[in-house]
Amino acid sequence: MRPRVGQMLASTVDATAVVVVRCPDSELDITCGGAAMTEANGPGPAATGTADPDQMGGSLLGKRYADEDLGLELLCTKPGQGTLALNGVPLPLKSAKPLPASD
């Protein structure tokens, strides 16, 4: 899939939903729970795919998941049991930038 900024993606194995915040202009394999995510087009069947038990670490509401090397960033808008992954590698939580010291 070639994601685009602002695109909403939904998991096919659980309730997880994300919004693409940043992405490169290339084909990417974005998965949740080991199954490919699909474009979210309103309400639909929540869990129609088969999950990989090794990829069920969960996703957290309001957290950003990013691969800084490729330039992909996803914002979780609905939490679920599946682990978000890019090309088979779990996406880490994006760390917060430290605030400057106020002296």
Side-chain angles (χ1 to χ4, degrees):
M1 140 185 355
R2 187 179 296 264
R4 61 190 184 283
V5 173
Q7 182 179 25
M8 296 178 66
L9 302 174
S11 171
T12 58
V13 298
D14 67 1
T16 302
V18 298
V19 172
V20 179
V21 176
R22 213 170 29 115
C23 64
D25 187 26
S26 61
E27 290 287 324
L28 300 174
D29 182 26
I30 301 171
T31 61
C32 180
M37 295 190 82
T38 61
E39 188 162 3
N41 293 327
T48 58
T50 304
D52 177 358
D54 294 334
Q55 298 225 1
M56 297 303 284
S59 54
L60 303 171
L61 177 65
K63 298 296 182 182
R64 292 176 185 250
Y65 294 84
D67 183 321
E68 298 298 330
D69 295 337
L70 285 177
L72 175 73
E73 185 174 330
L74 305 174
L75 172 63
C76 183
T77 57
K78 256 189 181 175
Q81 297 299 316
T83 298
L84 294 168
L86 175 63
N87 300 327
V89 179
L91 284 170
L93 276 171
K94 184 175 180 182
S95 57
K97 293 180 183 175
L99 294 173
S102 58
D103 293 331

